[in-house]
Amino acid sequence: MLDVAVVGGGPGGLFLARLLMLRGIARQVTVHERDAPDATFGFGVVFSDRTMSAFERADPVTHRRIAEAGVAWTDMELRHRGRALRYGGYGFTAVSRKTLLAVLQEQAADAGAELRFEERADALALIDGHDLVVAADGANSATRGALADRFGTRATPGAGKYVWFGTRAPFEVVTFPFVQTAFGAFAAHAYPYGEGLHSFIVETDEATWRAAGLETSTERAAAPGVSDPYAQELMEQVFAEELQGHPLLVNNSKWATFRHITNRAWSHRNLVLLGDAAHTAHFSVGSGTKMAMEDAIGLAAELAARGAGVGGEGSEGVESALARYERRRRPETERTQRWALPSMRWWETFGSRMDRDADRFGFHFLTRTDAIGLAGLRRRHPERIAAAEEAYAHDAPRTETPAPGGHALGAPLNLGGALLRNRLITVAGDRAERQIRLCEGHSVAGSSLVLADWRRPVGAGECDAWRAALERVSLDGGVLGVVLRAFDTAAADRAEAVGFPFVEVVLDPIAHPSPAEAAEHALLERKFLASLPAGSALIAGLHCPATGAYESDALSARALGAAEAGACALHLRAPGGLPLAHVLEHADRIRSATALPVILATDDGWALQTPAARSESRLALLHTALVAGRVDAVSGHPLTGPGR
């Protein structure tokens, strides 16, 4: 049996202590907690039904006590622009953090664990004196910091700001009110957790935070345990309608920035990280408490699986158990983090979408992660999804001929002053003769815009043929445009002579520029774009990088530069092999930054059929992106055949 030291008396460390003693895995577990037993920050903690079921399987008694102390609900409500939208089918239980700690402290002590409060401990100093040392010391883990190179720690700060309050204002279910102010947009996560109390977490972007003077008040409230009275007063005013006269309650309530933490390894010898020390996930998807307690279940199971430390296995048995624990828990935690990152980004940028109607705003919110596909959302929220699709159709321009099929690509689009009959765009990239035949023969399956690729040299003698093709396509209801390389003034002059209604200029990326080089290149791009003839609508072609949408501001900066130069749309081009979800995240970011329509290039085409059967299909993802407003049109080659 093991002698175990746990550094950190939070829910994860306490639950692990109980499980190790309860199952006879440890002969002794000592929990070292630097604070007093009743010292805790925050208000309520939320667990999903799935997590509660895991608690029940691992420890029915502790599960029962948490359930009895908590508040359960199945709906969530989004409030935006005077409307309240309910979304059902989400099972959650919330409990007071203070109550949860009291329950877990009692349960750990009852199982025989020794709890030492107001005692600081150095996990590294405990390694040689114990069979196992568990660092459950939170997101600011001193243990992890001391071995950052060994663990391969990466901590990425978010771009938004949040502050945690409580309130007695009534909220039956988890509720998300969004409020526009003179400073910018604020939003809250409000949910009940027992005894008439509710958590009330407020989020906003940094620009709004600064405009409201919250930077100064945050600096004044920097000391541990101190709350920000100005933030409290201002948020009571911002959310006066939601709070119904109730004040906000404080407990170390001050603005903070969430950090997304990952580690390449979770253990070193007989030392292991648990909970926030190993990984964090934004609270809009899960809670650190949930993940820490699930870690405790997983670690206890692996230590029990082969009787680590029993029968002469010693430290080698512990280390192999820690390796198995990481292998089995890592996929689950990484999946949660994979959902949490786009959710965090959504909350950082929601202010750019405040002008949207409630149905499409809510649809964008629901689809901020890929946790549930389109088919699943239709089953769970048929009326809400139908309302979002109806709002999308209502927002589209009216035409005499209804859009064919049910796919969002069939809706008309105003682009650069032209009314396109649908959102399908064909890029013709072969020789000029073939491009012209494509236009004349209407073999582009009804696309509303055909872009002829002139990035190769185009002879002056081709201008007459293109002018004739332009007239024939225009008479048939389609529109013809041209694609140029940046700085190709000769091709631009010939395009002007032909009279293309649309001109796309592809802004090729430059490899590894210095900041000065990037700034100079961006200035030259804007000058070239601004020099193009005013008679054509300008589209800026941008290459989607392989890096994440929020790892660099370079793409957004180029998109904003194109908008300043007069672009009416952005065409996001991606090399083959990049996942569609990755490209969509980039598209959403540049659309939010510029408010310009975004055309998304696809490598396997488009079609008009309604996606219903396969929620994971590319057509379903495109339909979802269009209805949500992440993109506005799709370019590529037409698909044929049913269900494509």
Side-chain angles (χ1 to χ4, degrees), residues 5 7 13 34 41 75 93 123 173 199 206 272 306 323 339 414 432 455 470 472-473 541 547 565 618:
V7 178
R34 66 181 183 179
F41 300 125
D75 288 5
T93 297
V173 299
S199 288
E206 185 170 349
V272 65
R306 290 172 55 188
W339 291 337
N414 276 320
R455 284 179 291 176
L470 179 63
R472 285 189 287 273
V473 172
T547 53
R618 292 176 68 87

Side-chain angles (χ1 to χ4, degrees), residues 227-306:
S227 295
D228 184 342
Y230 173 70
Q232 178 188 10
E233 181 181 354
L234 181 60
M235 292 305 101
E236 286 175 347
Q237 296 172 13
V238 169
F239 293 100
E241 182 177 347
E242 310 296 333
L243 295 172
Q244 301 177 35
H246 293 272
L248 289 173
L249 310 176
V250 297
N251 181 357
N252 195 39
S253 301
K254 66 191 74 177
W255 293 94
T257 300
F258 188 85
R259 292 193 305 155
H260 179 82
I261 294 171
T262 61
N263 285 279
R264 186 178 61 251
W266 292 359
S267 64
H268 170 63
R269 294 175 53 193
N270 62 330
L271 168 67
V272 65
L273 304 177
L274 184 139
D276 280 352
H279 44 67
T280 62
H282 192 254
F283 47 83
S284 60
V285 166
S287 70
T289 301
K290 156 208 160 17
M291 294 176 71
M293 293 179 68
E294 289 175 340
D295 280 355
I297 295 171
L299 180 55
E302 294 306 326
L303 290 168
R306 290 172 55 188

Side-chain angles (χ1 to χ4, degrees), residues 443-468:
S443 57
V444 291
S447 63
S448 58
L449 174 61
V450 180
L451 295 174
D453 198 334
W454 275 20
R455 284 179 291 176
R456 61 165 185 78
V458 176
E462 297 175 10
C463 290
D464 290 341
W466 278 112
R467 193 176 295 108

Side-chain angles (χ1 to χ4, degrees), residues 364-389:
H364 199 291
F365 170 77
L366 285 179
T367 57
R368 69 194 188 280
T369 76
D370 61 358
I372 305 176
L374 180 60
L377 290 172
R378 288 191 196 280
R379 289 191 298 269
R380 185 172 291 194
H381 313 295
E383 294 181 359
R384 293 267 62 89
I385 303 308
E389 291 171 328

Side-chain angles (χ1 to χ4, degrees), residues 407 409 580 600 602 605 618-626 631 634:
H407 199 288
L409 285 168
L580 181 56
L600 184 70
T602 62
R618 292 176 68 87
L619 287 178
L621 288 173
L622 292 174
H623 181 83
T624 299
L626 286 156
V631 297
V634 171

Side-chain angles (χ1 to χ4, degrees), residues 450-643:
V450 180
L451 295 174
D453 198 334
W454 275 20
R455 284 179 291 176
R456 61 165 185 78
V458 176
E462 297 175 10
C463 290
D464 290 341
W466 278 112
R467 193 176 295 108
L470 179 63
E471 292 175 356
R472 285 189 287 273
V473 172
S474 297
L475 290 173
D476 204 47
V479 180
L480 188 60
V482 66
V483 182
L484 309 176
R485 293 196 320 271
F487 312 119
D488 189 344
T489 54
D493 290 342
R494 290 170 184 165
E496 182 179 9
V498 171
F500 288 101
F502 285 90
V503 173
E504 176 182 348
V505 176
V506 178
L507 306 178
D508 292 321
I510 55 175
H512 311 297
S514 68
E517 290 172 333
E520 181 181 2
H521 188 77
L523 179 61
L524 292 174
E525 284 180 342
R526 287 197 293 272
K527 286 182 177 179
F528 178 77
L529 294 176
S531 70
L532 293 173
S536 300
L538 173 63
I539 300 172
L542 301 167
H543 289 274
C544 181
T547 53
Y550 292 89
E551 292 181 26
S552 169
D553 294 330
L555 183 64
S556 291
R558 298 184 93 187
L560 286 167
E564 292 171 3
C568 72
L570 306 171
H571 191 178
L572 187 60
R573 296 166 170 266
L578 285 181
L580 181 56
H582 172 95
V583 183
L584 283 171
E585 188 173 28
H586 279 281
D588 196 25
R589 186 178 182 194
I590 61 175
R591 194 185 191 285
S592 296
T594 64
L596 290 179
V598 172
I599 303 164
L600 184 70
T602 62
D603 57 9
D604 65 351
W606 40 253
L608 289 172
Q609 290 85 351
T610 304
R614 295 177 55 210
S615 62
E616 73 281 4
S617 72
R618 292 176 68 87
L619 287 178
L621 288 173
L622 292 174
H623 181 83
T624 299
L626 286 156
V627 173
R630 292 180 173 88
V631 297
D632 300 271
V634 171
S635 71
H637 303 284
L639 293 172
T640 58

